[in-house]
Amino acid sequence: MAGEKNRIITIANQKGGVGKTTTAINLATALAAIGERVLIVDLDPQGNASTGLGIDRRNRELSSFDLLIGSHGVAETVLPTAVPNLSIIPSTMDLLGIEMEIAQQSDRVFRLKRALSSDEALSYSYVLVDCPPSFNLLTMNALAAAHSVLVPLQCEFFALEGLSQLLETVDQVRRSVNPRLDIQGIVLTMFDSRNNLAQQVVNDVRTHLGEKVYHTLIPRNVRVSEAPSYGKPAILYDLKCAGSQAYLQLASEVIQRERQRKAA
């Protein structure tokens, strides 16, 4: 998009346990590792992206809640992480009350978009928004603010069913509040090569969605699962594990797609 100063990618899937937060943390870390300046906005009241990047709950004096109600901006709510070039606007349980705070406001779905138009937000080359596992006002804000949606999809039986619902939602958002919104890509997560069903899901998703599906498959990986309990992205916890290597590959695919999009 001409004149675009940063790229806002919302990571969304209304289904829980598909690897949204893991993807947000590790994709952001991989982008930061290759020199991009990256911001994560944690919009999930559970705050797992914040915890997974080592942000202690006691240090979250300001959060994405303050950003959305408009009492503080990006510059005041952002915190550095242990990863060079990667910052985060953390989440707190206050987000559970966001509907009560802003539901009556006419601009309620555009709060995040407005906040991310600030000079501080525009100084990041990538902004990744981690959503809750539901479709609510928080997810709506994330989709209204985004240039594109990245969808983590678990390699399991009902994957395509949930995906069709999400794609329908994206279409509705595009028609109603954000005409620029597109699908950045579908990333297949928790892939187990020993499982015939997982391979069948991969084949089905690729058949239905073609080039929208990233080539990189994120494997089931113990080291990736362990990393958040140490407050670290998998890429810092164990760079050589299969999961970390997969997220580095995914980051290079994301960059490649961005180059192609800008050249088009």
Side-chain angles (χ1 to χ4, degrees), residues 18-219:
V18 298
K20 278 191 301 295
T21 298
T22 303
T23 297
I25 290 172
N26 288 292
L27 177 57
T29 300
L31 289 168
I34 55 178
E36 301 288 352
R37 194 158 184 258
V38 186
L39 172 66
I40 291 179
V41 181
D42 189 350
L43 279 195
D44 188 343
Q46 295 177 78
N48 291 337
S50 309
T51 304
L53 282 167
I55 308 297
D56 192 291
R57 290 189 183 276
R58 290 167 296 186
N59 296 335
R60 303 178 204 177
E61 291 175 24
L62 295 173
S63 70
S64 52
F65 174 82
D66 301 285
L67 193 71
L68 291 175
I69 65 169
S71 63
H72 296 82
V74 170
E76 300 152 295
T77 51
V78 73
L79 292 174
T81 72
V83 181
N85 296 322
L86 176 58
S87 301
I88 188 167
I89 296 175
S91 154
T92 61
M93 297 295 277
D94 290 347
L95 279 178
L96 290 170
I98 198 68
E99 306 252 357
M100 302 267 293
E101 289 285 338
I102 66 173
Q104 303 308 314
Q105 306 300 318
S106 59
D107 66 344
R108 59 189 173 274
V109 301
F110 297 112
R111 292 300 185 93
L112 184 62
K113 182 178 182 180
R114 181 184 302 150
L116 294 180
S117 66
S118 68
D119 288 343
E120 178 68 22
L122 292 171
S123 71
Y124 294 91
S125 44
Y126 285 92
V127 178
L128 303 186
V129 185
D130 188 30
C131 292
S134 58
F135 186 70
N136 57 18
L137 189 53
L138 291 168
T139 309
M140 194 68 179
N141 262 271
L143 292 173
H147 297 106
S148 62
V149 190
L150 189 151
V151 185
L153 195 69
Q154 188 176 351
C155 295
E156 61 162 32
F157 184 65
F158 290 113
L160 275 172
E161 190 177 290
L163 180 61
S164 61
Q165 292 171 348
L166 182 66
L167 296 180
E168 211 170 278
T169 300
V170 170
D171 271 343
Q172 287 172 353
V173 171
R174 190 186 292 122
R175 288 195 300 269
S176 58
V177 298
N178 185 3
R180 71 183 177 181
L181 187 66
D182 68 10
I183 301 292
Q184 171 83 24
I186 315 294
V187 57
L188 293 159
T189 62
M190 303 180 191
F191 177 71
D192 184 346
S193 59
R194 299 163 301 181
N195 184 332
N196 290 336
L197 175 61
Q199 189 58 60
Q200 186 60 50
V201 170
V202 171
N203 295 341
D204 287 351
V205 174
R206 292 199 194 286
T207 299
H208 282 82
L209 291 156
E211 288 302 307
K212 285 291 182 192
V213 186
Y214 289 105
H215 297 296
T216 304
L217 295 172
I218 309 297

Side-chain angles (χ1 to χ4, degrees), residues 6 42 232:
N6 66 5
D42 189 350
K232 289 181 177 182

